[in-house]
Amino acid sequence: MTEVTRFTHGSRIPGWDDAVDPDKAPAPVPDAATTPVPAELRQEIEAEMAKYPVSRSALIPALHAAQRVHGWCSPEAIEQVATVMGITPGEVAAVATFYDMFETKPVGRQTIYVCTNISCSLRGGDKILAAMKAAAEGDADFNIRGFECLGACDMAPMASVNGDFVGPLEPADCAQIVSDLKGGLEVIPSKQLRARPCADPAGNVAVTSNEGGQS
Amino acid sequence: MSAILFDRIDEPGLNDIAVYEKRGGYEALKKALTVPTAGIIEELKASGLRGRGGAGFPLGTKASFIPTADIDKYLVCNADESEPGTFKDRELMQKNPHLLIEGMIIAAYAVGANRSFIYIRGEYELQANILEEAIAQAKASGYIGENILGSGFSLDLVLHRGAGAYICGEETGLLDSLEGKRGNPRLKPPFPANQGLFQGPTLINNVETLATIPPILRMGGSEYAKLGVENSAGTKLVSISGNVQRPGNYEIELGMSSRDIIYGLAGGPDEGRTVKFWFPGGSSSPVLTADDLDLAYDFDTLAKAGTMLGSGAIIVVDDTNSVVDVALTLASFYKHESCGKCTPCREGTTWTVKMLQRIQDGEATPMDLDIISSVQEQIIGNCLCVLGDAMAMPVSSLVTKFRAEFEEHIEAARERNGLGMTPPPASEEPALSL
Ligand SMILES: Cc1cc2nc3c(=O)[nH]c(=O)nc-3n(C[C@H](O)[C@H](O)[C@H](O)COP(=O)(O)O)c2cc1C
Ligand code: SF4
Ligand code: FES
């Protein structure tokens, strides 16, 4: 009989097929007195919690903050978020594993998402991903991932480099991006989204001193 | 037509409140606060504006579903914008954030919501920072906060960043995510208008929908309704991408010919290439072919053609591309984004990817195409939200419209794989039902 391979078809949840120990008691809400949390992180999470009528809403902002401090959503980071928010580490981990931007394994600090969705792949997104990986080959400081549509298909093929959108990219740009990052420089300023005008001619008309309504 | 949402959107400094006010910004809000709330909802109804997020539900009608009782109510702006091909809200938020904020304050006032949220996708960092700054300016100017401009109406506005999940664009998945949970969609009913965020009545609308409110109030609802065509009033931002020469966002009057959009505005495919097929409303919409280029771009015409206007994202695929590659990219996306709650969607997306991969690998026979089609049929209408359908509809449209190319591809891949001739065409055998 052929062996049936289970749970290998891939879920969006990393680690969902890792073995669990059913005899282990669920972790309780960590004790604030014995779980040290960096003061700045605590303040940031508490400020987020104050924004919502139900403080649990601050969980995603809290994880963003913790990931910024720890580099990834490490068990320690999850523990700290749970401590400040008064929920169990399990509840925090359940949320952290759902979202693509939260890293649940240690990764490099330089985060590059290369879009490989439809509009980018029609214009060579897969080649950009390969070139980007090749350019940063062997450097553990780089976290390069193929990503779903980033909402910038007009600049396809594109990538998000530490949050800055750049495109349209040529494979040759990848080495430039990697070396710019290594040198602490801004990546290809002329290809950044912030420099991109609206394609619609109406968006670009010379601004006259029309003080009336908008339309 | 004069531009409404994109009017001089590249004006330098427009994201600064002083520049926005100088061109008449926040005047619509000042006027609105003097009108009874029912009057504003009437204006919105009169405008005929249909939701710009995908489903096309009339804004005024949705707003009128919110109970008038004096309880905690919420307004949520859906700025998740993750449908492949869609990038219009990005441009609006980045360049004219106050237009959205003004629209939200008016909408919140109209339905009596005192707390509002913008749920922006986590990847939009630049736009989130710009909005954060604009919200602070609006607060400092007294447009957000307690007793706004002495009207007695108070509103809080919080920008909430997501963290990368397409399903959080689905309105109930978004609400769960905003409550600090995994973004799993909820069973409907109850609809958000009755029981949404924190169990309270919630109005949830797309960025573009809310940003159109100030211009509607400035023009008057019935004047706005004169733009566009019957049942598709107004202007629409369309995001055009893929194999066109001038990809980007364009504001069009609904009812414009699709050819004028794809060729006239976006320049069509590169010299010497032709349109093979196109998605008229994001990657979730069934595809159309070059024969459909003269269809008017509006809700009803596209629905009659068996597809949809969706988010207004046109993706053009030219004749140099393989239909199998596109189908596989598409299916892989939905498989990755399925939240896993319903079996037909979770398993259906997974198996569709596996079967398309089999075709690529040269292991498939034409009968696989019948199985793929039957899987899509079993997804459609059988899921909690429409993410499953969002894969099934375009994939089945590709298999139906390009069956011959799929078969050729299967043959060629088998040949490459050394498997030789395929068995007789599947149509002579009963389709396998799973
Ligand atoms: C899987 C899925 C993803 C969606 N993504 C978005 C989105 O990113 N932005 C959006 O505005 N609407 C999205 N929608 C539609 C919303 O559920 C909802 O209809 C919309 O926000 C309502 O706003 P409107 O009436 O202004 O269009 C999505 C729907 C589904 C099923
Ligand atoms: S249809 Fe898919 S995405 Fe939607 S709730 Fe079901 S499993 Fe989740
Ligand atoms: S497909 Fe790459 S940004 Fe949309």
PDB file of all heavy atoms in Angstrom, chain B residues 386-399:
ATOM      1  N   VAL B 386     -17.070  34.375  -0.383  1.00  0.00           N
ATOM      2  CA  VAL B 386     -16.931  34.098  -1.809  1.00  0.00           C
ATOM      3  C   VAL B 386     -15.472  33.947  -2.255  1.00  0.00           C
ATOM      4  O   VAL B 386     -15.197  33.987  -3.441  1.00  0.00           O
ATOM      5  CB  VAL B 386     -17.658  35.140  -2.695  1.00  0.00           C
ATOM      6  CG1 VAL B 386     -19.146  35.077  -2.466  1.00  0.00           C
ATOM      7  CG2 VAL B 386     -17.123  36.525  -2.454  1.00  0.00           C
ATOM      8  N   LEU B 387     -14.549  33.701  -1.329  1.00  0.00           N
ATOM      9  CA  LEU B 387     -13.170  33.503  -1.774  1.00  0.00           C
ATOM     10  C   LEU B 387     -13.064  32.247  -2.641  1.00  0.00           C
ATOM     11  O   LEU B 387     -12.376  32.227  -3.652  1.00  0.00           O
ATOM     12  CB  LEU B 387     -12.201  33.412  -0.598  1.00  0.00           C
ATOM     13  CG  LEU B 387     -10.725  33.323  -1.023  1.00  0.00           C
ATOM     14  CD1 LEU B 387      -9.842  34.145  -0.114  1.00  0.00           C
ATOM     15  CD2 LEU B 387     -10.192  31.900  -1.090  1.00  0.00           C
ATOM     16  N   GLY B 388     -13.771  31.213  -2.243  1.00  0.00           N
ATOM     17  CA  GLY B 388     -13.750  29.991  -3.044  1.00  0.00           C
ATOM     18  C   GLY B 388     -14.267  30.262  -4.449  1.00  0.00           C
ATOM     19  O   GLY B 388     -13.637  29.905  -5.460  1.00  0.00           O
ATOM     20  N   ASP B 389     -15.420  30.936  -4.528  1.00  0.00           N
ATOM     21  CA  ASP B 389     -15.988  31.287  -5.837  1.00  0.00           C
ATOM     22  C   ASP B 389     -15.024  32.161  -6.629  1.00  0.00           C
ATOM     23  O   ASP B 389     -14.974  32.093  -7.857  1.00  0.00           O
ATOM     24  CB  ASP B 389     -17.293  32.084  -5.675  1.00  0.00           C
ATOM     25  CG  ASP B 389     -18.369  31.282  -4.964  1.00  0.00           C
ATOM     26  OD1 ASP B 389     -18.009  30.386  -4.193  1.00  0.00           O
ATOM     27  OD2 ASP B 389     -19.562  31.551  -5.192  1.00  0.00           O
ATOM     28  N   ALA B 390     -14.274  32.979  -5.897  1.00  0.00           N
ATOM     29  CA  ALA B 390     -13.381  33.922  -6.559  1.00  0.00           C
ATOM     30  C   ALA B 390     -12.267  33.200  -7.310  1.00  0.00           C
ATOM     31  O   ALA B 390     -11.704  33.734  -8.257  1.00  0.00           O
ATOM     32  CB  ALA B 390     -12.786  34.895  -5.541  1.00  0.00           C
ATOM     33  N   MET B 391     -11.944  31.973  -6.883  1.00  0.00           N
ATOM     34  CA  MET B 391     -11.034  31.186  -7.707  1.00  0.00           C
ATOM     35  C   MET B 391     -11.821  30.411  -8.761  1.00  0.00           C
ATOM     36  O   MET B 391     -11.434  30.340  -9.922  1.00  0.00           O
ATOM     37  CB  MET B 391     -10.232  30.177  -6.881  1.00  0.00           C
ATOM     38  CG  MET B 391      -9.359  29.340  -7.808  1.00  0.00           C
ATOM     39  SD  MET B 391      -8.838  27.763  -7.134  1.00  0.00           S
ATOM     40  CE  MET B 391     -10.385  26.885  -7.067  1.00  0.00           C
ATOM     41  N   ALA B 392     -12.931  29.818  -8.323  1.00  0.00           N
ATOM     42  CA  ALA B 392     -13.661  28.903  -9.195  1.00  0.00           C
ATOM     43  C   ALA B 392     -14.181  29.592 -10.458  1.00  0.00           C
ATOM     44  O   ALA B 392     -14.129  29.022 -11.554  1.00  0.00           O
ATOM     45  CB  ALA B 392     -14.813  28.276  -8.421  1.00  0.00           C
ATOM     46  N   MET B 393     -14.658  30.821 -10.326  1.00  0.00           N
ATOM     47  CA  MET B 393     -15.256  31.493 -11.483  1.00  0.00           C
ATOM     48  C   MET B 393     -14.222  31.796 -12.576  1.00  0.00           C
ATOM     49  O   MET B 393     -14.427  31.412 -13.723  1.00  0.00           O
ATOM     50  CB  MET B 393     -16.024  32.731 -11.049  1.00  0.00           C
ATOM     51  CG  MET B 393     -17.231  32.369 -10.187  1.00  0.00           C
ATOM     52  SD  MET B 393     -18.258  33.784  -9.754  1.00  0.00           S
ATOM     53  CE  MET B 393     -17.091  34.865  -8.969  1.00  0.00           C
ATOM     54  N   PRO B 394     -13.115  32.471 -12.254  1.00  0.00           N
ATOM     55  CA  PRO B 394     -12.153  32.707 -13.332  1.00  0.00           C
ATOM     56  C   PRO B 394     -11.502  31.424 -13.852  1.00  0.00           C
ATOM     57  O   PRO B 394     -11.289  31.295 -15.062  1.00  0.00           O
ATOM     58  CB  PRO B 394     -11.112  33.631 -12.703  1.00  0.00           C
ATOM     59  CG  PRO B 394     -11.294  33.519 -11.248  1.00  0.00           C
ATOM     60  CD  PRO B 394     -12.725  33.167 -11.019  1.00  0.00           C
ATOM     61  N   VAL B 395     -11.214  30.464 -12.982  1.00  0.00           N
ATOM     62  CA  VAL B 395     -10.572  29.241 -13.466  1.00  0.00           C
ATOM     63  C   VAL B 395     -11.516  28.501 -14.409  1.00  0.00           C
ATOM     64  O   VAL B 395     -11.120  28.069 -15.499  1.00  0.00           O
ATOM     65  CB  VAL B 395     -10.125  28.326 -12.293  1.00  0.00           C
ATOM     66  CG1 VAL B 395      -9.768  26.941 -12.796  1.00  0.00           C
ATOM     67  CG2 VAL B 395      -8.932  28.944 -11.578  1.00  0.00           C
ATOM     68  N   SER B 396     -12.791  28.394 -14.030  1.00  0.00           N
ATOM     69  CA  SER B 396     -13.660  27.660 -14.944  1.00  0.00           C
ATOM     70  C   SER B 396     -13.875  28.440 -16.235  1.00  0.00           C
ATOM     71  O   SER B 396     -14.002  27.842 -17.300  1.00  0.00           O
ATOM     72  CB  SER B 396     -14.965  27.206 -14.289  1.00  0.00           C
ATOM     73  OG  SER B 396     -15.703  28.277 -13.878  1.00  0.00           O
ATOM     74  N   SER B 397     -13.837  29.779 -16.162  1.00  0.00           N
ATOM     75  CA  SER B 397     -13.973  30.540 -17.413  1.00  0.00           C
ATOM     76  C   SER B 397     -12.765  30.296 -18.318  1.00  0.00           C
ATOM     77  O   SER B 397     -12.906  30.197 -19.546  1.00  0.00           O
ATOM     78  CB  SER B 397     -14.161  32.037 -17.139  1.00  0.00           C
ATOM     79  OG  SER B 397     -12.940  32.648 -16.765  1.00  0.00           O
ATOM     80  N   LEU B 398     -11.584  30.160 -17.735  1.00  0.00           N
ATOM     81  CA  LEU B 398     -10.384  29.903 -18.549  1.00  0.00           C
ATOM     82  C   LEU B 398     -10.463  28.521 -19.199  1.00  0.00           C
ATOM     83  O   LEU B 398     -10.170  28.353 -20.387  1.00  0.00           O
ATOM     84  CB  LEU B 398      -9.115  30.002 -17.695  1.00  0.00           C
ATOM     85  CG  LEU B 398      -8.675  31.413 -17.300  1.00  0.00           C
ATOM     86  CD1 LEU B 398      -7.561  31.361 -16.267  1.00  0.00           C
ATOM     87  CD2 LEU B 398      -8.227  32.206 -18.524  1.00  0.00           C
ATOM     88  N   VAL B 399     -10.871  27.522 -18.398  1.00  0.00           N
ATOM     89  CA  VAL B 399     -10.934  26.165 -18.939  1.00  0.00           C
ATOM     90  C   VAL B 399     -11.997  26.082 -20.038  1.00  0.00           C
ATOM     91  O   VAL B 399     -11.800  25.441 -21.068  1.00  0.00           O
ATOM     92  CB  VAL B 399     -11.207  25.138 -17.814  1.00  0.00           C
ATOM     93  CG1 VAL B 399     -11.409  23.746 -18.394  1.00  0.00           C
ATOM     94  CG2 VAL B 399     -10.047  25.118 -16.826  1.00  0.00           C
TER      95      VAL B 399
END
